[in-house]
Amino acid sequence: MPHTASRHLAEGPRVGIRHFTHADSAEFTARARESKDLHRPWLFPPDHAAAYSAYAEQLIRDPAKAGFLVCEKADGSIAGFININNIVHGAFQSGALGYGAFAHAAGRGLMREGLELVVRHAFGPMRLHRLEINVQPANAASIALARSCGFRLEGFSPDMLFIDGAWRDHERWALTQEMRNPR
């Protein structure tokens, strides 16, 4: 299911990041279906064409969102996705990250490399100052990824997000430009 597009916004040794396109629907939804056991109960990415179309359209058109696919450089296959939501400019210059690896790529360090690229892109061309990741406390893999990329635990929010039919508690992890590049 490799995607042939190779235009990356940024590249690391093994992955590149690029924006979502409508042409990614078949591969993305197949990967989402293959990864249900990995994602549940934390994450519910679109797993059929109509849902993907609506999801991608928001990421493509909404200026308060930016969606990135993490793609393996070797074959172009989609390893995962990282979205920056709730982008606010002005005095705040902030966004909230959400992400997911696909099962075939999990545990291989590809998402860490991809998240590093997205952070650099957010603090560089996007001119953001702060990124936040909200993670359910039992999601050890997601917390480990945030921690490995330098995010710090800032707090706990009970009943923060409505996921899978219930309000879920979340830990708030954040990273600022100064944390990445101390003066």
Side-chain angles (χ1 to χ4, degrees):
M1 289 183 280
H3 190 276
T4 57
S6 62
R7 292 183 59 138
H8 295 134
L9 298 166
E11 291 187 346
R14 297 179 299 152
V15 302
I17 58 168
R18 64 177 177 79
H19 289 296
F20 278 71
T21 70
H22 289 289
D24 295 308
S25 178
E27 181 182 0
F28 188 98
T29 57
R31 297 282 188 204
R33 289 189 301 273
E34 293 166 0
S35 303
K36 280 190 180 191
D37 289 343
L38 175 66
H39 292 156
R40 301 301 189 259
W42 324 113
L43 188 61
F44 297 83
D47 62 0
H48 61 278
Y52 177 86
S53 180
Y55 179 74
E57 188 66 21
Q58 280 191 333
L59 293 169
I60 293 167
R61 301 280 177 227
D62 187 342
K65 298 178 184 294
F68 303 93
L69 295 173
V70 177
C71 300
E72 294 187 64
K73 286 173 50 178
D75 63 4
S77 65
I78 300 171
F81 56 96
I82 302 169
N83 300 329
I84 306 176
N85 300 299
N86 306 321
I87 297 170
V88 178
H89 293 285
F92 201 37
Q93 297 296 101
S94 181
L97 290 170
Y99 48 75
F102 289 126
H104 76 284
R108 296 173 43 206
L110 302 175
M111 288 300 291
R112 185 186 191 291
E113 189 176 321
L115 183 55
E116 287 284 349
L117 294 171
V118 169
V119 166
R120 270 193 261 146
H121 187 75
F123 290 161
M126 292 181 72
R127 300 170 63 164
L128 296 179
H129 172 260
R130 174 186 167 84
L131 295 170
E132 187 167 309
I133 298 171
N134 298 299
V135 183
Q136 292 178 60
N139 189 343
S142 188
I143 290 170
L145 178 57
R147 183 179 283 124
S148 75
C149 289
F151 285 75
R152 70 175 172 221
L153 179 62
E154 288 194 332
F156 178 80
S157 297
D159 301 328
M160 182 179 186
L161 293 172
F162 194 76
I163 298 173
D164 196 25
W167 289 99
R168 307 290 178 182
D169 298 344
H170 281 72
E171 292 181 358
R172 292 185 326 279
W173 292 77
L175 182 67
T176 65
Q177 280 186 335
E178 290 80 9
M179 290 167 63
R180 296 280 285 198
N181 303 308
R183 294 178 191 167

